[in-house]
Amino acid sequence: MSLREQFGKDILLSGWGHSKFGKLQDETLESLIVQVATDAITTAGIEPGQVDEIYLAQFNSGMMPLAFPSSLALQVSEELGGVPATRVENACASGSAAVQQGAKALLAGTAKTVLVIGAEKMTHAGADVVGAALLGADYDMAGQTSTTGFTGLFADVAKHYEKRYGNVSDVMGSIAAKNHRNGVDNPYAQLRKDLGEEFCRTVSEKNPMVADPLRRTDCSPVSDGAAALILTTSPNGGATSPVRLAGFGQANDFFPAARRDPTAFAATRLSWQRALGMAGVELTDMDFAEVHDCFTIAELLMYEAMGLTEPGQGARAVTEGWVYKDGKLPINVSGGLKAKGHPVGATGVSQHVIAGMQLTGTAGAMQLANPRRAAVQNMGGVGIANYVSVLETT
């Protein structure tokens, strides 16, 4: 039973906008928000005055002084004056949290048209500021001094994984190389260079070890960027056919690391089960997926959490070619966070927009052959806040 069958209405992605990701020195948080929100409204074929509610995702956590950006979206048009606007924050999953809040407003009947925006400015802040901000998303390390930051936390996950299942250094290098290669075809991506497997697998002066066993190529970059979409309950005659939200799921895990199995990502798995269950589909019904590869070990664990492989066998998805563009379930055709970039609050919205482009045949050089259904997975912290969406063509 799909979302539409359960609730008696459609939730449609009717239009979207996406900025380039990277070090955007000539852009401000406001200019990025206005750019993508304007594009989303225009491509949806609506007027600004038709927007009933706005959800704006931003993590921030001290990376910039302006910590109250919800009304910046009103800068798009005088017609947005008085529209309810709410900032949504749930660490690196803020974007998908905003998408789900918008969907719930439509399901509740309190809105018919919702503007969802994800935006972040990070590159202006020093590495110490960004590192401290991101560590605020970890129960044990928040407020602590760390030379490796969040990379160190996922390096610990990788060490636990390798102790339990064996070395995956080369597999992580292959994941990095895959996503860098995919990023070449994404005009929005921050890193558009095919680095090759040998480079990504090898520690070198240009690819140093950041936190053993994670090399620089195993880590997503610090980024600026924004993305936006319009959610509606009926088509509006926009620039492309709308994309249906067939199901969604959220699950949170316990915050203290001591209460979690470091390699199980149990709540991530549960969010997949809930989204697929609401959509009434199986993983085998997906044509591709955009997943949260903040680090290559995270993507490897996603293969297992989504049920593509059994626990400890995630490497098979790479070595047997399943997750490449021509595989049975292409993963991160956009380049993922690894190559596309990771402006934290924008990431979840970006994943939905990129999936929407694929499903409407408007993804340009990234385009897959006739995809009909996709999954988007976004998480905050080390598998703490977990969101999955199932999208399909209409």
Side-chain angles (χ1 to χ4, degrees):
M1 181 178 291
S2 68
L3 180 155
R4 178 172 51 166
E5 292 168 331
Q6 287 185 48
F7 296 97
K9 63 175 70 174
D10 261 333
I11 304 296
L12 303 174
L13 281 65
S14 298
W16 44 72
H18 200 298
S19 79
K20 182 172 174 49
F21 282 6
K23 189 172 184 177
L24 308 180
Q25 294 177 305
D26 295 333
E27 300 286 356
T28 64
L29 184 68
E30 180 178 337
S31 68
L32 287 168
I33 289 170
V34 170
Q35 173 194 330
V36 297
T38 300
D39 289 347
I41 290 169
T42 300
T43 59
I46 64 171
E47 297 298 324
Q50 293 176 256
V51 173
D52 299 312
E53 197 160 353
I54 300 167
Y55 289 97
L56 191 150
Q58 184 209 28
F59 177 54
N60 192 352
S61 193
M63 288 186 288
M64 65 178 302
L66 182 63
F68 181 48
S70 53
S71 279
L72 289 179
L74 275 58
Q75 301 296 84
V76 170
S77 169
E78 291 288 329
E79 293 181 55
L80 290 175
V83 173
T86 304
R87 176 190 173 212
V88 178
E89 190 284 308
N90 217 3
C92 298
S94 296
S96 286
V99 172
Q100 289 198 14
Q101 289 301 305
K104 289 174 182 178
L106 295 180
L107 292 175
T110 57
K112 293 182 179 179
T113 302
V114 175
L115 169 61
V116 179
I117 306 164
E120 207 77 65
K121 278 286 289 180
M122 303 173 69
T123 64
H124 64 283
D128 57 335
V129 174
V130 173
L134 295 176
L135 280 177
D138 185 75
Y139 179 87
D140 302 288
M141 289 301 297
Q144 303 297 311
T145 300
S146 171
T147 58
T148 57
F150 233 78
T151 308
L153 298 178
F154 274 89
D156 286 342
V157 171
K159 289 175 183 176
H160 281 291
Y161 190 94
E162 291 192 329
K163 183 177 180 180
R164 186 173 294 181
Y165 300 117
N167 188 284
V168 289
S169 179
D170 282 354
V171 171
M172 292 192 298
S174 295
I175 291 171
K178 168 183 71 74
N179 291 348
H180 276 286
R181 188 159 54 249
N182 288 346
V184 172
D185 293 329
N186 184 351
Y188 306 109
Q190 181 170 352
L191 304 175
R192 301 185 68 190
K193 186 175 182 181
D194 185 352
L195 298 177
E197 287 204 3
E198 186 63 27
F199 181 85
C200 293
R201 289 178 169 187
T202 306
V203 176
S204 64
E205 183 179 349
K206 292 185 176 180
N207 189 27
M209 190 71 76
V210 179
D212 190 21
L214 301 184
R215 298 147 297 211
R216 180 177 291 165
T217 50
D218 292 307
C219 311
S220 58
V222 173
S223 317
D224 306 326
L229 54 85
I230 294 290
L231 296 177
T232 63
T233 55
S234 58
N236 291 288
T240 66
S241 299
V243 170
R244 178 179 294 113
L245 178 63
F248 59 86
Q250 178 191 358
N252 274 53
D253 212 333
F254 295 105
F255 211 1
R259 299 197 65 181
R260 290 178 274 118
D261 181 322
T263 68
F265 279 57
T268 311
R269 183 180 297 272
L270 183 57
S271 66
W272 276 96
Q273 293 169 351
R274 287 173 174 168
L276 293 171
M278 181 183 287
V281 297
E282 303 290 338
L283 186 67
T284 52
D285 295 315
M286 299 300 115
D287 294 310
F288 69 95
E290 289 288 320
V291 308
H292 194 97
D293 63 320
C294 48
F295 301 93
T296 53
I297 185 62
E299 179 166 331
L300 181 67
L301 283 162
M302 289 314 113
Y303 303 158
E304 301 175 11
M306 70 171 73
L308 184 60
T309 76
E310 294 297 318
Q313 297 182 27
R316 287 189 62 201
V318 178
T319 58
E320 299 186 22
W322 301 348
V323 295
Y324 291 88
K325 279 187 176 181
D326 58 353
K328 67 178 183 180
L329 185 64
I331 301 286
N332 288 336
V333 176
S334 69
L337 286 58
K338 175 80 259 313
K340 182 180 61 177
H342 184 28
V344 176
T347 287
V349 182
S350 166
Q351 291 174 310
H352 285 81
V353 170
I354 294 292
M357 291 176 178
Q358 284 284 358
L359 292 170
T360 55
T362 58
M366 293 184 284
Q367 187 65 51
L368 295 168
N370 196 35
R372 307 291 295 173
R373 188 176 287 116
V376 168
Q377 180 267 329
N378 185 203
M379 72 178 176
V382 185
I384 302 299
N386 302 274
Y387 295 82
V388 175
S389 296
V390 176
L391 305 176
E392 61 186 21
T393 56
T394 52

